[in-house]
Amino acid sequence: MYNQRFPDIKPYLKTHSLMPENQETPIAFIKKDIVENPLFYRRNHFPYPMLSSSFYWLPINGAVKEPKLFSMQELIQFPAKKLKVVLECAGDKRSFFEPKVYGEQWGNGGISQGYWKGVPLKALLEQTGLKDDAKEVIVEGYDYGKQPGIDGIHRFARSLPLEKALHPDTIIAYEYNHQPIPFKHGYPLRLIVPGWYAMASVKWVRQITVIDSHFNGPFQSIDYVYYPHKDNNNDSFPVTNINVNSTIQKPNNMQILNAGRHTIKGIAWTGKGTIQRVEISTDNGQTWSYATIKSDHRSQYEWVSWSYEWVVSEKGEYTIMSKATDSYHQTQPMSPFWNRKGYGYNAADCIRVKVE
Ligand SMILES: Nc1nc2c(c(=O)[nH]1)N[C@H]1C(S)=C(S)[C@@H](COP(=O)(O)O)O[C@H]1N2
Ligand SMILES: [Mo]
């Protein structure tokens, strides 16, 4: 796939910041339906945590009948679930918003996919039992620090409503792509919440606490909230499900092409349901045609690859767009839902090319 004579010529992550580390997947170069560790985007709020041996114990406490401490040995003995899951940062494509918004200026590479294996959180909560007034489940990571815009020092922690926590596909994972989870992606235990934006998938799980109230941690009451207005917090609501979306991987934006036949390629994904169709326009959205969706190994939480054969004879500039629709009849809009912190961008993907 890469240049044989120069094996060091290969894609790398696109760097936004190193402390904490934030780097994008070079999505145009991802040809497979799984992303291997070296090209898996990295999104961190804090410096990487220091892990001690006590890390191998997972406590579950709070509004449970019997608090428990699970060892790794115990966890891997539960019936395991392996799921192919898209993880997409809620800030993916933030840089495409107009007007621009503050925050990490992610392009289209805040997304990766692979196999996560672990034990359903439900199975663990069945062991501890839940008190009648249990409402939410907080999952806390080992990393902590200060973040601009948020007072004080916090650990990265988020809660799930009971319904999502007990969903059979919400897992405490210990493997990624059939290996122990790479350290930067949450070793040894990571919560995986398929279908939700990836802020929900807490890395380096330190403890799990069931509560009888609503958790107000800053990563769900300040950040990861949609604020539709520039100057006030009215009408805000939390970021949860991944929006239906697609990305054109080939050709590149602003590429120069020869007249003739070209394959337009990309991926499409959604948080709820499955991708039903992908439409392509090569005339700036005036007319649309169906792309062919590659249909092998499709499971609910993975992206689909699609392609479209484009025959172009006339020289000129072209605006190419892709627009996906899912089984809940959600279609990518032509313009994004603008929000002050720049989450959930999912307007039809758009590139320009010149045919010479
Ligand atoms: N403990 C912890 N978990 C975390 C985060 C974090 O900073 N700390 N970032 C979240 C966000 S916003 C995203 S997009 C994903 C990124 O996962 P990755 O670095 O494995 O790609 O992890 C989520 N889980
Ligand atoms: Mo994120």
Side-chain angles (χ1 to χ4, degrees):
M1 178 160 97
Y2 306 131
N3 190 317
Q4 303 268 306
R5 281 181 59 218
F6 298 99
D8 59 324
I9 299 182
K10 56 180 194 246
Y12 293 95
L13 295 169
K14 286 200 233 169
T15 310
H16 289 286
S17 68
L18 290 174
M19 247 329 233
E21 188 179 9
N22 286 297
Q23 307 210 50
E24 297 195 26
T25 296
I27 198 70
F29 292 92
I30 302 298
K31 305 277 194 308
K32 297 196 256 176
D33 61 353
I34 59 164
V35 177
E36 278 152 23
N37 180 33
L39 297 182
F40 186 162
Y41 81 96
R42 301 169 187 167
R43 172 40 177 143
N44 295 291
H45 295 76
F46 303 123
Y48 288 111
M50 307 273 261
L51 306 184
S52 66
S53 57
S54 64
F55 191 73
Y56 294 91
W57 294 90
L58 173 65
I60 302 191
N61 49 42
V64 294
K65 293 195 170 126
E66 194 189 336
K68 284 212 153 133
L69 204 54
F70 293 97
S71 68
M72 280 302 277
Q73 276 313 312
E74 285 172 293
L75 291 177
I76 58 178
Q77 270 150 35
F78 280 89
K81 191 151 222 179
K82 194 184 269 187
L83 298 165
K84 202 197 238 172
V85 177
V86 164
L87 285 185
E88 185 190 13
C89 180
D92 190 26
K93 305 195 182 192
R94 177 180 288 133
S95 62
F96 304 159
F97 276 106
E98 291 293 343
K100 298 278 177 218
V101 297
Y102 289 92
E104 301 281 340
Q105 293 298 300
W106 293 92
N108 59 13
I111 183 168
S112 289
Q113 166 166 284
Y115 287 100
W116 292 93
K117 179 180 170 187
V119 46
L121 178 54
K122 182 174 196 237
L124 303 180
L125 294 172
E126 275 165 6
Q127 296 283 307
T128 61
L130 292 172
K131 291 204 168 146
D132 291 343
D133 53 2
K135 268 209 185 72
E136 293 190 357
V137 180
I138 306 173
V139 178
E140 183 187 81
Y142 263 93
D143 52 332
Y144 62 89
K146 260 201 74 60
Q147 190 182 284
I150 294 176
D151 286 339
I153 289 180
H154 296 269
R155 279 188 194 281
F156 190 84
R158 291 193 32 110
S159 74
L160 289 174
L162 218 47
E163 191 198 356
K164 195 69 183 173
L166 295 176
H167 190 287
D169 294 337
T170 297
I171 60 175
I172 298 291
Y174 45 77
E175 276 183 18
Y176 180 66
N177 292 342
H178 328 295
Q179 303 280 327
I181 299 175
F183 171 72
K184 291 183 171 181
H185 299 290
Y187 176 88
L189 294 174
R190 177 175 193 168
L191 175 67
I192 293 292
V193 186
W196 280 30
Y197 279 110
M199 72 282 147
S201 293
V202 177
K203 303 191 272 189
W204 312 291
V205 174
R206 178 174 185 258
Q207 67 169 335
I208 294 175
T209 309
V210 180
I211 55 171
D212 63 4
S213 56
H214 175 61
F215 181 57
N216 251 331
F219 300 103
Q220 63 194 68
S221 61
I222 298 174
D223 281 354
Y224 303 109
V225 174
Y226 291 108
Y227 299 103
H229 307 292
K230 188 170 189 305
D231 303 316
N232 63 64
N233 291 351
N234 296 344
D235 310 314
S236 65
F237 60 101
V239 176
T240 57
N241 286 307
I242 294 177
N243 294 324
V244 63
N245 215 334
S246 66
T247 286
I248 299 168
Q249 293 172 293
K250 202 183 128 184
N252 290 334
N253 191 23
M254 304 309 278
Q255 193 172 339
I256 297 169
L257 304 172
N258 290 322
R261 174 182 287 273
H262 297 279
T263 305
I264 302 170
K265 274 185 163 185
I267 54 173
W269 65 97
T270 188
K272 244 180 97 191
T274 50
I275 293 296
Q276 294 294 294
R277 60 172 191 270
V278 177
E279 291 161 274
I280 303 299
S281 172
T282 54
D283 56 10
N284 197 18
Q286 289 177 54
T287 61
W288 295 87
S289 311
Y290 291 120
T292 306
I293 293 176
K294 211 169 124 190
S295 59
D296 50 335
H297 336 283
R298 269 171 75 183
S299 68
Q300 194 186 343
Y301 305 113
E302 69 183 290
W303 67 46
V304 297
S305 293
W306 51 262
S307 63
Y308 177 77
E309 294 301 319
W310 184 37
V311 180
V312 55
S313 48
E314 243 175 81
K315 292 181 179 179
E317 293 183 32
Y318 293 85
T319 298
I320 302 176
M321 295 176 144
S322 70
K323 184 173 71 168
T325 300
D326 68 20
S327 50
Y328 282 81
H329 308 292
Q330 299 298 307
T331 296
Q332 289 180 257
M334 293 310 285
S335 34
F337 166 61
W338 187 93
N339 59 98
R340 196 172 75 234
K341 293 205 173 186
Y343 299 123
Y345 185 102
N346 79 326
D349 209 42
C350 184
I351 61 164
R352 297 211 313 154
V353 298
K354 189 174 180 186
V355 174
E356 285 193 346

